[in-house]
Amino acid sequence: MRFTVLTLVAFFSLLARLSAQDDLFGNLVEKKPARKGFVIGANGTYDRPGADMAERFGTSYRVGPSLFYKTRSNWMIGAKGDFIFGNRIREDSLMHNITTVDGAFIDKGGLLKNAGVFERGYMVGLQLGKIFSFGPVKSDKGLFVMTGGGFIQHRIRLVDKNGDLYQLAGEYKKGYDRLANGWFVEQFVGYNHFSANALINYHIGLNFMAGFTAGRRDYLYDVMRPGTDKRLDILFGLRGGWYIPMFRQKAEEIYY
């Protein structure tokens, strides 16, 4: 754990030094004032689960778009969406009543067959953040702190490619998929960079999400009880993203 913390500190220190460089060639430039305009983003997150999420799923990933408006005072406000996916399921009792001792199904032809089992979900919400730049001139790069909230939903996706399993046909899947949804809050802290030439624009840092969800299935066939328990779903991980800024230029910077 200590090594991980020291590595992150060293990494963010290196990014802070590189923030003085304008482009891929490493040319040192004078800090330019912060700009304003819309920012389109593409984000990715590597997550480790906690609380109730850790009892159901393992490591997962998120990818998705975002749209912000950035002010000259370095506030960023906007919306984002994430698609959640993974392939590590920890529900020990899942479908034990319709599988063999080895976890296989018996299909309609009497043959043993396996089904795909995956984690799937999504998040949509609003975010508010601020870039804290250090130095005499307020620039577009520096420490980035962001908070947000919205709606989250996740479930276990069961895949029967050829439709040979009567046990998972039609509405029967809903008795095993552990569908849950509710509200979430999210925090991010890291480094944010907008280059002077608008070619290198990114953020990277640590992300924490807490979801206050509940199961949405009236009955779970394998455990023979309602699936409506309240849950605390936590995701903690490393998040990064790439920006496409559309900054408004000052009149004196426009050439004819």
Side-chain angles (χ1 to χ4, degrees):
M1 180 66 178
R2 183 180 178 184
F3 174 77
T4 303
V5 173
L6 291 176
T7 301
L8 288 172
V9 170
F11 180 67
F12 287 130
S13 299
L14 176 62
L15 286 177
R17 295 192 63 182
L18 291 177
S19 69
Q21 298 181 346
D22 177 56
D23 52 33
L24 290 171
F25 301 101
N27 300 319
L28 294 178
V29 298
E30 181 183 355
K31 261 190 174 182
K32 292 189 175 182
R35 294 155 289 180
K36 67 178 181 179
F38 286 98
V39 177
I40 300 172
N43 312 294
T45 311
Y46 168 82
D47 284 316
R48 298 296 300 271
D52 294 325
M53 202 76 159
E55 297 180 2
R56 179 165 296 173
F57 301 116
T59 299
S60 63
Y61 308 89
R62 284 184 279 157
V63 294
S66 62
L67 176 64
F68 288 96
Y69 182 79
K70 180 183 174 300
T71 69
R72 290 197 191 279
S73 56
N74 275 342
W75 285 97
M76 293 180 65
I77 183 170
K80 69 112 181 193
D82 281 337
F83 173 64
I84 307 169
F85 61 98
N87 57 8
R88 297 189 62 186
I89 307 299
R90 293 175 174 169
E91 286 277 357
D92 295 335
S93 63
L94 185 67
M95 300 184 294
H96 71 92
N97 61 325
I98 54 175
T99 58
T100 67
V101 292
D102 297 322
F105 294 88
I106 299 176
D107 69 10
K108 60 186 180 182
L111 302 177
L112 293 179
K113 180 180 178 180
N114 292 317
V117 183
F118 307 98
E119 175 187 2
R120 293 293 185 266
Y122 68 89
M123 300 167 56
V124 291
L126 300 176
Q127 294 183 308
L128 174 67
K130 184 173 176 62
I131 303 168
F132 295 91
S133 62
F134 303 99
V137 180
K138 186 183 293 292
S139 73
D140 298 315
K141 42 190 104 112
L143 176 68
F144 187 33
V145 178
M146 183 167 56
T147 186
F151 179 81
I152 179 174
Q153 178 169 295
H154 57 77
R155 65 183 176 93
I156 298 174
R157 185 185 179 213
L158 307 172
V159 179
D160 172 23
K161 290 185 178 179
N162 299 321
D164 296 329
L165 302 176
Y166 289 130
Q167 304 94 320
L168 299 179
E171 295 292 305
Y172 287 119
K173 282 186 180 181
K174 294 182 179 180
Y176 301 101
D177 70 0
R178 304 301 199 267
L179 178 69
N181 57 42
W183 301 105
F184 75 86
V185 293
E186 191 172 26
Q187 310 294 328
F188 173 90
V189 59
Y191 176 77
N192 195 97
H193 181 94
F194 289 103
S195 68
N197 58 15
L199 292 179
I200 305 174
N201 315 286
Y202 61 88
H203 70 275
I204 186 169
L206 299 177
N207 193 89
F208 174 83
M209 188 284 302
F212 306 95
T213 66
R216 303 301 179 185
R217 296 306 187 200
D218 293 332
Y219 194 76
L220 305 177
Y221 298 147
D222 47 356
V223 293
M224 295 183 290
R225 63 172 177 81
T228 55
D229 298 342
K230 291 184 178 180
R231 301 169 50 84
L232 173 62
D233 295 321
I234 289 177
L235 293 175
F236 178 79
L238 181 65
R239 185 175 184 86
W242 192 263
Y243 293 132
I244 301 176
M246 295 178 286
F247 291 139
R248 295 178 59 184
Q249 301 295 319
K250 293 181 179 180
E252 59 270 22
E253 295 175 346
I254 299 176
Y255 296 89
Y256 296 93

